[in-house]
Amino acid sequence: MTLHLIAAVVLVALEGYLLGSIVFGILISRLLCRDDVRTHGSGSAGMTNMLRTYGKLPGAATAIGDVAKGAAAVFIGKWLFTALVPKLDPACGAYLAAIFACIGHMKPVWFGFKGGKGVLVCGGAILALQPLVFLMLVVIFLIEFAITRIVSLGSIIIAAVYPILTLCFWAWHGADVPNLVFIFVCSVIMAAMVIYMHRSNIQRLRNGTEYRFGQKKKESDEK
């Protein structure tokens, strides 16, 4: 059991990280635009910088790719835990995979360890694991965005709210205490990583200089 658990953890961490390291913003900007999105705007490879730099189609393609890889990492993580450690809740493997997919997206091995901020990758993982929580987070984000037009603030808010919703979700579904604690800790780690990657945005929010979507000639960090 111990060897199987170690193997499962290593394989889940590896598949999550390598999948996360496939950064669609960089791939799309290089293949379709003959450019590197990280040389523009905020320097991030996320959807918002892609949208602001190249337009709607590259931005949408980046969003779809980032969400899909987060979901894929989760499904593979669940499958590996089911196959190797069937006595454990496969959700534990899924959350572990989500963490490493987010790390891979932020620090991709294929692209010099400089990627995006992980919001949509985490979103894909949440969609695969907790569709209801995903929907609630989308609603919260849209309300915030409609009021402020600040993408980064919405990302920070939903990251902060996510662990609370996750705890409520799995408690409602009857998860036992050890699994509940593990999942909650994983959700806190995911949220903390996303918020940390927005630290420069937080500083600009404090200064009142953060970018509002639709403004011209103003750079900010993004997802």
Side-chain angles (χ1 to χ4, degrees), residues 161-186:
V161 170
Y162 170 61
I164 299 171
L165 294 180
T166 293
L167 184 64
C168 295
F169 177 87
W170 288 108
W172 179 47
H173 279 76
D176 58 33
V177 173
N179 285 327
L180 191 61
V181 171
F182 181 82
I183 289 170
F184 178 69
V185 170
C186 287

Side-chain angles (χ1 to χ4, degrees), residues 68-89:
K69 73 181 180 185
V74 160
F75 286 131
I76 296 172
K78 288 178 70 174
W79 175 77
L80 286 170
F81 259 54
T82 300
L84 294 174
V85 281
K87 292 183 179 180
L88 296 181
D89 191 330

Side-chain angles (χ1 to χ4, degrees), residues 132-218:
L132 179 59
V133 171
F134 177 84
L135 180 60
M136 295 171 69
L137 293 174
V138 169
V139 170
I140 293 170
F141 177 85
L142 291 176
I143 291 173
E144 180 281 330
F145 183 73
I147 295 171
T148 70
R149 309 293 290 180
I150 301 176
V151 174
S152 62
L153 179 58
S155 300
I156 293 164
I157 289 173
I158 61 175
V161 170
Y162 170 61
I164 299 171
L165 294 180
T166 293
L167 184 64
C168 295
F169 177 87
W170 288 108
W172 179 47
H173 279 76
D176 58 33
V177 173
N179 285 327
L180 191 61
V181 171
F182 181 82
I183 289 170
F184 178 69
V185 170
C186 287
S187 69
V188 169
I189 291 172
M190 291 167 64
M193 288 193 298
V194 169
I195 293 172
Y196 176 77
M197 293 300 289
H198 284 82
R199 58 196 182 280
S200 58
N201 303 80
I202 293 171
Q203 185 60 50
R204 283 193 295 274
L205 286 166
R206 289 174 175 170
N207 296 338
T209 58
E210 180 61 307
Y211 173 83
R212 293 177 185 270
F213 196 82
Q215 284 182 339
K216 302 297 182 181
K217 297 180 180 179
K218 189 173 182 180

Side-chain angles (χ1 to χ4, degrees), residues 40-112:
H40 299 279
S42 65
S44 179
M47 179 271 293
T48 306
N49 202 30
M50 285 290 291
L51 178 63
R52 197 161 62 235
T53 303
Y54 304 114
K56 294 179 181 179
L57 184 58
T62 299
I64 292 170
D66 286 348
V67 168
K69 73 181 180 185
V74 160
F75 286 131
I76 296 172
K78 288 178 70 174
W79 175 77
L80 286 170
F81 259 54
T82 300
L84 294 174
V85 281
K87 292 183 179 180
L88 296 181
D89 191 330
C92 294
Y95 278 95
L96 191 62
I99 289 173
F100 279 91
C102 191
I103 293 172
H105 181 77
M106 294 171 178
K107 302 293 181 182
V109 66
W110 317 121
F111 301 109

